[in-house]
Structures are given as structure tokens and as C-alpha cells.
Amino acid sequence: MKKSILFFLSLFFAAGPGFAQGNLGQAGANFLQIGVDPRGAALGGAVTALSSGAAALYWNPAGAIHAQNLDVYFANTDWFMDTQLVYGAVVKNMGSLGAFGLSVTSFYMDEMEITSWEASEGTGQSYDAGDIAIGASYARSLTDRFTFGVTGKYVREYIWTVNTSQIAIDVGSEYRTDFYHLRLGMAVRNFSGKMQFEGDKIDERIQEEINRDQNNNPRVERLTPEFRLPQIFQLGVAFDPVNNTNHRLTLIADVYVPGDNDERLTLASEYSFQNLAFLRASYRINYDLGDLSVGGGFNLSAIGLNSTLDYAYSTHGVMGGVHRIGFGFSL
């Protein structure tokens, strides 16, 4: 047990300071910062110590170990400007071998017509843009209280004829106690190398600038900037001041440290009635847009199938609100 705690703390002190030294607004593939499931979103993302099953693969892969057998989850988010975020994941718990999971996150928009100065009404062509992340996860309990998880994922962004891709890693851990069911969670997400867009249109523009025959032309470098994924360090604590046959109340606090912005704090709570109906709410501190999130869900069991239906609504300041809905089942 002592070794587990020391390992947990070493990850905290090793990862935390590095993330605090990030550069403001210099990350790309920011769809990776959009909460994918309604439960996590309703709790303001403060689920590092609370996530479980297939939905945990996004927040903290260590939580995958809490899947009973086979756990499947799907969620959809109506994001801004007619864009959609879709998440799907499956986890299989293999007992002493650990839990294995697969996840897909897709962020996309409908096709848009291409316009130009010469053809302001449209050229007759169209383009689309989107992002995708495909991950494979593994989680295992190292002791009866300490769990460790890791995800390797392929991330790709594209718009029209240009694209970029990279391999990234998520690492997470969880420690549970008997004191009011106190849980500590830690996750480091989106560790990766740098990314750079490439494609025919970029090559054409670079060639145009080269043809200018200008020494040290700064436009060439500006056409091919490098950027990193939004690396995130998150530490959370959750405990149950009320926990009996009919009622459970969970209080949660998470510290969120993005590599390209200031540190943030989320306070959240979840109420459960007989583990069948749930109410959730959170307040986010030091976020640029939005501070409140609410939601709820239901658990239903029939013929050996446990199903979950979740909903969340999040405020985002002048941008408006965001709706999420999710459905899952487990065997």
C-alpha cells in the first residue's frame, strides 16, 4: 500500500510543474478538451477520481477496471456552429489480467461550399473538416486499492486537402480508501510529439513564396507552424458523506492544469437514489466561458443487461448552452 501511495505522489509531483509552464493558446486539436460524456460534463469534468467503465477511457483510463464484464458506451454532443462530437467506447474486464478498452472520438462538421474573391456565390466545390482520436487502453489493479491505466491513441485533424496526425499517450491512476469511500484520481492526457499540417494546398503556397526569390522569407515558416496536442494534468478527490441503501451523495473537487492555459478548479456533486436515478451539478472556476453544468441519469436492469441513460447541459457564456446525451449498457 505504501508503495502505491508513493507511486501516485511521484506522478503528481513529476507531471504537475511541467504542465503549469505551458504557453497560452498554443495547442492544437482542441477537440480533445471537450468532455465526451454527459455524466462527466454535468460534473464539469471533475471525474478523475470517479469515472468508471467505458466512459472512463477519456477521463482516466484507470477507471476502466471498474467495468463488471463487458461495458459499452455511446454519447453525442451538439457543439457550436452545427458541429458534432461523437464518442463510442467498449471495455472488457478480464479479471486478474486487467481491463482492455477501445475508444473512438470524432468531431466533425457538414460540408460547406467553397467561395473566393472571384466567386463569392460559390465555386461549385465543397469542403469538410474534422478530427478523430482512436485509442486502445489497458487498466489493472496493482493492489486492492490502487489502480493504474494507460491509453495509446492515434489523433488526426483534417480540413479540405490538408491534414496532420500524431500518436499520443494518456496515463492515469486511482487510489481508494474506506474513509467515507474517499477516492483520489490522477490523469495526464495527450502526451505527444509536435504536429504539422501538410498537403497539396500548403505545398502550392510554399512554392509560390519560394518563387518570390526572397531571402529569409518569413511566410514559408508561417505556412507550416508546429504545434502540440492540448496536454492536460488533472488531479481529483471524491468522497461520500452520505452513503446508505437509498441515498448516496458524492462531493468532488478537481484541479485541471492545461499545458496552454491557466490552472482551473471544479467543484461538483452527484446524488444517487437507490443507484437508479441520479442528479448532478458542478461549478467551474477560472474558465474563460461557462461555469455551470447540470444533468441527470437513470440505471435500468433487465434480463442480465444493465443500461444507462444520461443527459447534461453546460453553459458557455455568450456562446450559449451545450446539450449532451449518452447511452450505455453492460453485461
Side-chain angles (χ1 to χ4, degrees):
M1 184 185 303
K2 291 182 179 179
K3 290 182 178 179
S4 299
I5 297 174
L6 289 174
F7 179 67
F8 183 94
L9 292 176
S10 67
L11 287 175
F12 169 74
F13 288 113
F19 279 86
Q21 298 170 2
N23 295 314
L24 181 64
Q26 293 191 12
N30 280 293
F31 79 104
L32 295 172
Q33 298 194 68
I34 304 174
V36 295
D37 70 299
R39 186 195 186 202
L43 296 174
V47 288
T48 316
L50 202 64
S51 58
S52 62
L57 301 187
Y58 171 82
W59 302 102
N60 183 353
I65 199 67
H66 302 303
Q68 296 299 312
N69 182 14
L70 180 69
D71 191 69
V72 181
Y73 198 85
F74 300 96
N76 182 80
T77 300
D78 289 322
W79 202 241
F80 306 114
M81 304 295 291
D82 296 324
T83 56
Q84 299 286 321
L85 181 74
V86 178
Y87 175 79
V90 57
V91 169
K92 173 65 174 177
N93 194 324
M94 303 290 288
S96 61
L97 294 178
F100 299 82
L102 295 173
S103 61
V104 177
T105 305
S106 176
F107 183 69
Y108 63 92
M109 54 170 276
D110 294 332
E111 287 191 348
M112 295 185 65
E113 192 171 22
I114 297 174
T115 60
S116 66
W117 288 107
E118 296 80 11
S120 59
E121 299 299 322
T123 64
Q125 297 178 303
S126 61
Y127 78 97
D128 62 352
D131 310 90
I132 190 169
I134 302 173
S137 304
Y138 174 73
R140 185 172 182 176
S141 294
L142 302 183
T143 72
D144 60 340
R145 298 181 182 275
F146 183 78
T147 301
F148 177 80
V150 62
T151 295
K153 57 189 178 185
Y154 168 78
V155 180
R156 181 174 183 266
E157 284 198 296
Y158 65 91
I159 177 169
W160 197 14
T161 64
V162 301
N163 66 88
T164 182
S165 60
Q166 185 57 272
I167 301 297
I169 296 175
D170 300 346
V171 179
S173 61
E174 181 186 277
Y175 184 76
R176 297 195 167 205
T177 76
D178 295 328
F179 180 75
Y180 288 101
H181 201 197
L182 179 68
R183 288 143 285 177
L184 300 173
M186 185 280 298
V188 180
R189 303 201 298 270
N190 305 323
F191 263 131
S192 73
K194 293 184 178 180
M195 303 176 72
Q196 187 178 45
F197 275 101
E198 57 185 12
D200 294 340
K201 295 300 179 181
I202 290 179
D203 293 340
E204 291 174 7
R205 285 287 294 114
I206 290 176
Q207 190 59 51
E208 290 177 8
E209 295 301 330
I210 292 176
N211 291 340
R212 292 173 181 266
D213 195 22
Q214 177 183 342
N215 292 330
N216 299 319
N217 188 340
R219 297 186 184 90
V220 174
E221 184 176 350
R222 292 171 187 168
L223 286 168
T224 57
E226 292 184 332
F227 59 92
R228 292 187 181 276
L229 297 179
Q231 296 178 356
I232 298 163
F233 171 73
Q234 198 162 348
L235 180 70
V237 58
F239 72 102
D240 302 337
V242 178
N243 191 353
N244 54 49
T245 304
N246 293 321
H247 308 281
R248 174 179 57 80
L249 176 65
T250 302
L251 301 181
I252 315 144
D254 263 45
V255 176
Y256 182 94
V257 185
D260 66 336
N261 214 319
D262 297 328
E263 295 82 359
R264 300 160 179 178
L265 174 67
T266 300
L267 304 176
S269 63
E270 180 180 61
Y271 168 74
S272 169
F273 176 71
Q274 295 185 347
N275 202 37
L276 296 176
F278 303 85
L279 292 175
R280 304 169 181 124
S282 64
Y283 183 75
R284 293 168 288 175
I285 300 170
N286 204 31
Y287 279 73
D288 296 327
L289 289 175
D291 48 19
L292 293 175
S293 295
V294 295
F298 296 95
N299 281 347
L300 301 173
S301 299
I303 59 173
L305 183 69
N306 300 319
S307 58
T308 301
L309 180 64
D310 296 309
Y311 168 80
Y313 175 82
S314 303
T315 63
H316 287 269
V318 296
M319 297 294 291
V322 171
H323 301 272
R324 291 175 174 86
I325 189 168
F327 171 77
F329 64 88
S330 59
L331 301 176

